[in-house]
RNA sequence: GGCGGUGUAGCUCAGUGGUAAGAGCAGCGGCUUCAUAAGCCGUGUGUCGUAGGUUCAAAUCCCACCACCGCUACCA
């Protein structure tokens, strides 16, 4: 039975198709920080992370690199382990979906669901057009024929296994509404509820081996492997012992937090709860979706290649300050900006000036004027005021952390640090020491003890640097970490090193080269392959918006020899007026398709990066129909 | 197209019916010198996106509009 003090939190398991980047790092550091705070308050804590290793993309990446999928995974997992090591991540377990225990457990769960009728095999009829290599619904067919090839498609049957997700739709909507903390922040909850207004279909959880072999084989049909998401989500259960070590499992489940990025909300907030319901397990208490880091104004995500490697940041600035920055600057669930400039401002202002400098001045004053740490003799009003806020601070910090309000928790600590600086100005111990050494001692003890307390509260965020500082401060081990008065009067103290040296903005630390795009080993094509693509110039004759579609424009174009109609997803980037009369480049021999009921006989070429799209054209004017080679 | 969100000081944001609208950063002026050229004090005439409405009273509630964003549909 899970007791109230057991705290289980997870990150997603990261797909090994990609190198670790700041998105992965943020989630993982957040989890680490939360785990450390909960351990510090005495909670029985389990922090799970890992990697997701099955699926199509892994198989493809492996085959293009000429290695087995397992070899590919074995290579990639090292990058994640090393990254977390370097970022000071203290996880309790690192799961790989290729771990045998996970594979076994997933198969047991599948068998159980299958036996209880939660999974069924469905043979869906399909009107399959060989020319198009795709299925058509009856509605899409024109007079029973493929609209492209005007040929009657074959009716073929394909089998797959489906999880009865749809039957849990009403239950899920109800559950989400009755448990306001289940999906956070609220905007994500609304999105999920919006998603659930449309009918939910059953979830296809198998892939025929003929198409994809890299996955967990279904226990009840060796011709299939498990859909990668189904396999991956179950890690949250298998890693803590489900279904073979129920005692361990029940100690931790349900999870207190699944931390995720906002890109995987549907899988976690729709698929996962229904799977758990079908298994018969309670749902995690909270699924928290955080935002994305914008790097120099550009979106950072898995699919984009403008990767800023967390390890590079750490090499330049140090782990602790990077962790601090990431935790301090991203507000609950919102997107945040990262740039060197923003980082340096935050670092200099809070870590160097407010905190680090305070440590230096207090310790220096003690070393210079006293042989040992002085006593706090007669606390006056200023001392009492500091002590009052020092006693409140651990409580408010832990409260905020328990609500995932990390930014505000850190703000509270740094505000307290500022108040210590102010206290120093008010009491001026460097003057007092000349007139009243006892009172100067009281002031310095108060400042040092306040500093120690602030440092202790910052330790989960900056474990390395803070440990370094705390190891120098002599304490009375009998007294509790968060209690006032732990610093030991009469003990000697070493001079402390400069913890966070100020970064001089004029000396730009651009030692790091702009991160080169990952070199993917892409297969090369021959000139003959290229020749298969018929590219020609074309003149745009007419353009109109496709009704009820945001992105679509219908164009008629002149190819010199003929006129054609194409549909293109560029309405958000070009207005019809901008296009008429322009020369564009099209793929002339592309298989036609029907988009929104409109036939499209070709594709225009456009360059797209970071959300910006521009059509390709020729530098000098040229007749339509010119061949491009 | 549908659903939802955001728009407050140069920047990042807090503030959801009621004293003259706030914080941090940046800027400017001063004090101080124990300290990492750090610290402290002082300093903001901000159309609270625009235009209406409800109210004794609105940044805060309602309507419309504008801008941006998210999810979703359609987008190879």
């Amino acid at each position: 039975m899970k007791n109230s003090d057991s705290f289980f939190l997870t990150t997603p398991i990261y797909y090994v198709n990609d190198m670790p980047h700041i998105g992965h790092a943020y989630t993982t550091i957040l989890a680490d920080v939360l785990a450390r705070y909960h351990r510090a308050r005495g909670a029985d804590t389990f922090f799970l992370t890992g990697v997701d290793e099955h699926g199509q993309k892994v198989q493809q990446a492996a085959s293009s690199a000429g290695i087995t999928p397992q070899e590919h995974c074995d290579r990639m997992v090292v990058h994640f382990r090393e990254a977390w090591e370097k970022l000071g991540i203290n996880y309790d377990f690192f799961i790989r979906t290729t771990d045998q225990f996970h594979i076994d457990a997933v198969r047991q769960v599948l068998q159980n669901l299958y036996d209880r009728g939660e999974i069924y095999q469905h043979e869906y009829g399909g009107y399959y057009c060989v020319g198009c290599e795709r299925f058509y619904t009856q509605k899409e067919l024109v007079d029973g024929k493929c609209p492209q090839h005007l040929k009657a498609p074959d009716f073929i049957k394909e089998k797959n296994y489906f999880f009865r997700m749809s039957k849990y739709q009403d239950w899920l909507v109800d559950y989400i509404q009755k448990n306001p903390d289940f999906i956070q922040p609220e905007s994500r909850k609304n999105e999920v509820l919006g998603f659930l207004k449309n009918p939910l279909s059953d979830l296809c959880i198998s892939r025929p081996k003929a198409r994809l072999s890299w996955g967990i084989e279904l226990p009840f049909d060796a011709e299939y492997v498990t859909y990668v998401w189904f396999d991956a989500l179950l890690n949250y259960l298998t890693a803590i012992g489900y279904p073979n070590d129920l005692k361990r499992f029940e100690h931790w489940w349900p999870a207190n937090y699944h931390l995720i990025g906002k890109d995987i909300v549907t899988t976690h907030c729709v698929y996962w709860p229904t799977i758990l319901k079908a298994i018969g397990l309670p749902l995690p208490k909270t699924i928290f979706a955080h935002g994305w880091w914008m790097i120099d104004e550009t979106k950072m995500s898995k699919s984009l290649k403008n990767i800023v490697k967390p390890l590079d940041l750490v090499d330049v600035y140090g782990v602790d300050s990077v962790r601090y920055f990431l935790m301090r600057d991203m507000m609950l669930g919102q997107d945040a900006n990262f740039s060197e400039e923003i980082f340096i401002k935050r670092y200099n202002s809070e870590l160097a000036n407010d905190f680090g400098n305070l440590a230096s001045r207090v310790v220096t004053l003690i070393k210079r004027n006293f042989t040992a740490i002085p006593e706090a003799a007669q606390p006056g009003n200023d001392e009492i005021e500091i002590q009052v806020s020092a006693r409140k601070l651990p409580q408010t910090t832990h409260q905020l952390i328990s609500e995932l309000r990390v930014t505000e928790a850190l703000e509270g600590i740094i505000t307290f640090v500022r108040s210590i600086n102010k206290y120093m100005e008010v009491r001026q111990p460097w003057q007092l020491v000349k007139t009243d050494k006892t009172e100067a001692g009281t002031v310095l003890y108060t400042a040092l003890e306040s500093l120690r307390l602030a440092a202790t509260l910052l330790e989960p965020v900056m474990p390395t640097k803070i440990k370094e500082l705390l190891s120098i401060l002599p304490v009375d081990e009998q007294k509790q970490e968060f209690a006032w008065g732990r610093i030991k009067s009469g003990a000697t103290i070493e001079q402390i090193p400069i913890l966070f040296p100020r970064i001089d903005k004029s000396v730009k630390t651009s030692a790091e080269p702009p991160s080169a795009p990952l070199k993917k080993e892409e297969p090369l094509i021959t000139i003959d392959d290229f020749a298969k693509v018929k590219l020609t110039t074309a003149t745009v004759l007419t353009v109109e918006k496709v009704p009820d579609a945001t992105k679509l424009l219908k164009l008629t174009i002149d190819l010199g020899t003929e006129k054609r109609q194409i549909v293109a997803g560029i309405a958000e980037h070009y207005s019809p007026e901008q296009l008429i009369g322009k020369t564009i480049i099209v793929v002339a021999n592309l298989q036609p398709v029907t988009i929104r009921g409109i036939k499209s006989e070709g594709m225009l070429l456009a360059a797209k990066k970071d959300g910006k799209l521009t059509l390709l054209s020729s530098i000098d004017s040229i007749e339509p129909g010119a061949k491009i080679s």
Side-chain angles (χ1 to χ4, degrees):
Chain A
M1 190 67 188
K2 184 177 170 90
N3 65 39
S4 59
D5 231 9
S6 93
F7 186 86
F8 176 39
L9 89 165
T10 68
T11 72
I13 50 176
Y14 305 114
Y15 203 48
V16 292
N17 199 40
D18 207 351
M19 292 291 275
H21 57 61
I22 192 171
H24 304 122
Y26 175 73
T27 319
T28 311
I29 291 170
L30 176 61
D32 185 61
V33 166
L34 294 173
R36 285 173 191 264
Y37 271 114
H38 284 277
R39 281 191 209 107
R41 70 163 174 81
D44 189 13
T45 303
F46 195 91
F47 162 23
L48 172 68
T49 189
V51 287
D52 179 10
E53 305 182 279
H54 292 122
Q56 187 105 43
K57 284 181 181 167
V58 170
Q59 183 171 311
Q60 280 167 354
S63 90
S64 68
I67 54 177
T68 67
Q70 188 65 56
E71 282 170 331
H72 174 82
C73 294
D74 291 346
R75 287 182 194 179
M76 287 301 296
V77 73
V78 174
H79 296 297
F80 284 88
R81 283 215 162 101
E82 283 177 351
W84 302 161
E85 165 104 39
K86 195 153 190 173
L87 290 172
I89 306 300
N90 190 13
Y91 50 76
D92 293 292
F93 189 67
F94 185 102
I95 190 171
R96 299 180 57 175
T97 55
T98 52
D99 285 334
Q100 192 59 47
F101 78 86
H102 174 77
I103 293 170
D104 294 342
V106 168
R107 286 166 56 87
Q108 287 177 66
V109 170
L110 283 165
Q111 184 67 54
N112 178 271
L113 291 175
Y114 184 69
D115 292 344
R116 291 193 293 111
E118 296 285 348
I119 291 171
Y120 61 96
Q121 188 181 36
H122 179 53
E123 187 170 49
Y124 43 93
Y127 295 95
Y128 190 81
C129 173
V130 183
C132 303
E133 290 182 44
R134 60 160 283 196
F135 285 96
Y136 281 95
T137 64
Q138 223 154 0
K139 225 172 105 184
E140 288 173 306
L141 297 177
V142 181
D143 298 329
K145 291 175 180 171
C146 158
Q148 262 47 257
H149 295 81
L150 303 175
K151 240 175 65 180
D154 301 323
F155 187 84
I156 66 162
K157 291 175 177 177
E158 184 168 306
K159 289 192 293 186
N160 255 312
Y161 289 87
F162 290 80
F163 162 57
R164 297 190 191 278
M165 186 162 71
S166 59
K167 74 174 182 182
Y168 296 113
Q169 176 159 13
D170 294 341
W171 163 80
L172 181 58
V173 169
D174 189 57
Y175 185 91
I176 292 170
Q177 282 166 345
K178 284 185 178 151
N179 295 274
D181 289 341
F182 178 53
I183 301 171
Q184 286 182 32
E186 198 173 352
S187 55
R188 300 296 157 201
K189 182 181 87 179
N190 291 337
E191 270 174 32
V192 173
L193 287 172
F195 180 85
L196 288 170
K197 276 180 187 154
N198 299 315
L200 199 55
S201 52
D202 287 345
L203 183 67
C204 179
I205 54 120
S206 66
R207 293 291 182 270
K209 276 193 185 169
R211 250 191 267 159
L212 170 68
S213 61
W214 181 238
I216 297 178
E217 190 177 281
L218 295 184
F220 41 81
D221 192 334
E223 296 297 304
Y224 295 85
V225 297
T226 312
Y227 171 46
V228 63
W229 265 109
F230 192 89
D231 152 21
L233 286 164
L234 286 172
N235 95 86
Y236 299 133
L237 306 180
T238 65
I240 52 170
Y242 193 83
N244 297 313
D245 185 350
L246 290 179
K247 197 178 165 206
R248 184 158 67 96
F249 172 74
E250 283 166 6
H251 180 72
W252 299 113
W253 194 259
N256 296 72
Y257 285 107
H258 286 323
L259 302 179
I260 62 171
K262 64 181 186 181
D263 48 333
I264 51 175
V265 167
T266 305
T267 48
H268 281 76
C269 299
V270 179
Y271 299 179
W272 182 226
T274 57
I275 293 169
L276 286 167
K277 176 70 176 166
I279 297 172
L281 290 172
L283 305 194
K285 290 183 180 158
T286 296
I287 297 168
F288 185 90
H290 63 71
W292 279 338
W293 282 96
M294 313 290 277
I295 310 287
D296 290 329
E297 307 291 302
T298 319
K299 188 196 288 180
M300 175 68 235
S301 78
K302 268 189 193 175
S303 54
L304 296 173
K305 291 299 169 222
N306 55 345
I307 291 171
V308 172
K309 291 192 211 123
L311 300 189
D312 292 346
L313 302 177
V314 169
D315 287 338
V316 180
Y317 305 119
V319 204
D320 294 286
S321 48
V322 170
R323 286 171 60 111
Y324 181 82
F325 175 77
L326 294 178
M327 293 302 106
R328 178 75 174 92
D329 262 56
M330 182 177 276
M331 276 296 289
L332 202 71
Q334 297 180 29
D335 288 347
N337 292 303
F338 182 92
S339 74
E340 194 172 3
E341 196 190 343
I342 300 170
F343 171 85
I344 291 174
K345 270 186 183 169
R346 184 67 81 186
Y347 174 98
N348 277 345
S349 151
E350 296 183 1
L351 294 182
N353 298 352
D354 289 338
F355 184 78
N357 180 55
L358 174 69
S360 293
R361 65 195 302 210
V362 172
V363 174
T364 300
L365 279 165
I366 291 174
K367 294 260 346 150
R368 189 169 298 169
N369 297 295
F370 297 85
T371 51
I373 294 177
E375 301 218 359
Q378 276 293 344
N381 287 340
D382 296 317
E383 284 71 35
I384 287 166
E385 202 175 303
I386 284 271
Q387 283 187 36
V388 167
S389 45
R391 284 178 208 277
K392 273 194 233 156
L393 190 62
Q395 209 181 325
T396 52
T397 302
H398 284 298
Q399 180 60 33
L400 288 167
I401 289 294
S402 74
E403 294 166 13
L404 291 194
R405 293 156 70 183
V406 182
T407 304
E408 288 148 283
L410 293 181
E411 190 175 15
I413 298 168
I414 210 69
T415 300
F416 176 67
V417 169
R418 287 195 188 111
S419 78
I420 310 170
N421 272 317
K422 180 169 182 174
Y423 168 73
M424 293 282 284
E425 295 304 319
V426 172
R427 299 289 269 146
Q428 308 215 0
W430 53 92
Q431 296 294 345
L432 263 181
V433 84
K434 298 173 193 161
T435 56
D436 187 341
K437 206 163 175 184
T438 310
E439 194 157 352
T442 301
V443 172
L444 288 173
Y445 181 91
T446 303
L448 187 67
E449 173 62 2
S450 300
L451 176 73
R452 179 201 67 82
L453 189 84
T456 305
L457 288 168
L458 287 171
E459 189 174 2
V461 179
M462 302 187 285
T464 314
K465 280 284 164 80
I466 297 294
K467 264 190 199 100
E468 200 181 314
L469 171 62
L470 290 177
S471 71
I472 293 170
L473 307 181
V475 295
D476 178 353
E477 301 285 349
Q478 306 294 330
K479 301 217 168 145
Q480 293 196 330
E481 273 195 305
F482 301 115
W484 180 264
R486 196 166 192 247
I487 288 278
K488 203 173 183 176
S489 298
T492 55
I493 186 169
E494 301 289 312
Q495 183 54 261
I496 59 166
I498 288 184
L499 295 167
F500 300 103
R502 211 182 139 76
I503 299 169
D504 186 347
K505 279 183 217 168
S506 59
V507 186
K508 193 115 190 319
T509 48
S510 49
E512 45 168 351
S515 54
L518 274 184
K519 248 225 151 105
K520 283 265 160 74
E521 291 153 59
E522 288 186 21
L524 299 175
I525 63 167
T526 66
I527 186 100
D528 294 335
D529 290 332
F530 176 71
K532 288 178 192 164
V533 182
K534 188 180 164 200
L535 297 172
T536 68
T537 58
T539 305
V540 179
L541 300 175
T542 67
V543 185
E544 58 187 276
K545 284 211 65 167
V546 174
D548 295 346
T550 317
K551 298 183 181 178
L552 302 184
L553 290 181
K554 181 174 87 174
L555 337 193
T556 49
I557 54 172
D558 182 358
L559 285 186
T561 52
E562 57 174 318
K563 288 179 184 155
R564 282 200 197 171
Q565 169 177 302
I566 64 174
V567 176
I570 55 170
E572 289 174 318
H573 301 88
Y574 289 94
S575 65
E577 306 79 62
Q578 283 176 289
L579 293 174
I580 291 172
K582 292 276 160 47
T583 297
I584 58 171
I585 296 173
V586 297
V587 181
N589 60 340
L590 193 69
Q591 200 73 253
V593 289
T594 300
I595 298 162
R596 277 272 177 174
I598 301 166
K599 198 168 176 184
S600 179
E601 310 167 295
M603 179 174 111
L604 52 72
L605 297 191
K608 190 171 185 183
K609 189 168 197 293
D610 302 337
K612 272 196 174 175
L613 182 143
T614 181
L615 286 179
L616 299 185
S617 187
S618 56
I619 290 178
D620 300 312
S621 70
I622 188 160
E623 298 298 302
K627 188 174 184 322
I628 294 165
S629 56

